[in-house]
């Protein structure tokens, strides 16, 4: 069915929990930073943490279990920088932070329908982030 150039796919969501919950990491917390900090300040915090947790910078007397924890911490720090170090991804992340309760459903094109709990109370149509398909939330 076509509606104003958009292909519409009606999708019954009898309960909003049918959408899978996406836990969000606090990338600012991982870098020990605040959202108001500049890109330069974020980069300085990232570089300081990388020197602390980089696997090549670990001393030989660190216990094996702690080495694994430090490697995991390093991976998280690197992921945080990949998001916050790029203006476009940082902006997108900041927009998503306003509501921690975010639900998503996969689209047939491979994209995602995403809606926050607050939005789900107010909207009935959710657009795919990749294509022109729209789902309708029926209550």
């Amino acid at each position: 069915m076509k509606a104003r150039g958009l292909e519409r796919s009606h999708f019954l969501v009898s309960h909003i929990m049918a959408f899978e919950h996406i836990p969000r990491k606090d990338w600012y917390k991982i870098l020990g930073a605040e959202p108001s900090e500049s890109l330069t300040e974020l980069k300085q915090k990232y570089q300081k943490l990388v020197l602390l947790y980089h696997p090549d910078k670990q001393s030989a007397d660190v216990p094996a279990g702690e080495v694994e924890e430090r490697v995991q911490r390093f991976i998280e720090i690197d992921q945080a920088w990949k998001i916050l170090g790029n203006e476009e991804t940082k902006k997108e992340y900041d927009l998503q932070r306003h509501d921690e309760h975010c639900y998503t459903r996969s689209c047939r094109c491979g994209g995602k329908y995403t809606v926050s709990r607050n939005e789900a109370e107010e909207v009935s149509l959710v657009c795919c982030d990749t294509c022109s398909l729209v789902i309708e939330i029926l209550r």
Side-chain angles (χ1 to χ4, degrees):
M1 173 187 333
K2 292 273 185 183
R4 295 185 197 180
L6 296 179
E7 184 178 335
R8 260 178 131 179
S9 173
H10 290 283
F11 183 80
L12 175 61
V13 180
S14 60
H15 193 275
I16 193 61
M17 295 308 282
F19 280 81
E20 53 185 279
H21 178 65
I22 303 175
R24 304 248 186 236
K25 288 192 179 193
D26 187 343
W27 300 119
Y28 289 106
K29 185 177 178 181
I30 289 169
L31 290 183
E34 295 295 324
S36 59
E37 293 184 49
S38 71
L39 218 50
T40 304
E41 292 168 314
L42 291 173
K43 185 175 183 177
Q44 289 171 346
K45 291 188 178 204
Y46 164 73
Q47 289 173 331
K48 185 177 178 182
L49 289 170
V50 164
L51 289 174
L52 262 172
Y53 291 99
H54 195 285
D56 292 343
K57 302 289 183 187
Q58 303 305 309
S59 63
D61 61 342
V62 175
E66 192 175 323
V67 169
E68 182 61 31
E69 287 176 25
R70 288 173 174 255
V71 168
Q72 289 304 316
R73 178 88 167 103
F74 173 76
I75 290 169
E76 277 191 331
I77 292 163
D78 193 53
Q79 288 173 332
W81 177 246
K82 284 179 181 171
I83 291 169
L84 299 178
N86 176 298
E87 286 186 36
E88 190 174 310
T89 55
K90 180 183 182 299
K91 183 178 178 180
E92 185 177 319
Y93 174 70
D94 287 342
L95 289 173
Q96 293 172 353
R97 285 184 87 233
H98 79 278
D99 190 292
E100 291 182 57
H101 302 288
C102 192
Y103 302 94
T104 187
R105 186 138 186 108
S106 296
C107 178
R108 68 181 181 204
C109 74
K112 299 238 183 252
Y113 300 101
T114 306
V115 65
S116 71
R117 181 173 290 183
N118 292 342
E119 289 172 329
E121 300 292 323
E122 300 167 9
V123 300
S124 60
L125 297 176
V126 181
C127 299
C128 174
D129 64 0
T130 305
C131 71
S132 64
L133 290 176
V134 175
I135 60 170
E136 183 173 7
I137 300 174
L138 301 175
R139 292 169 189 71

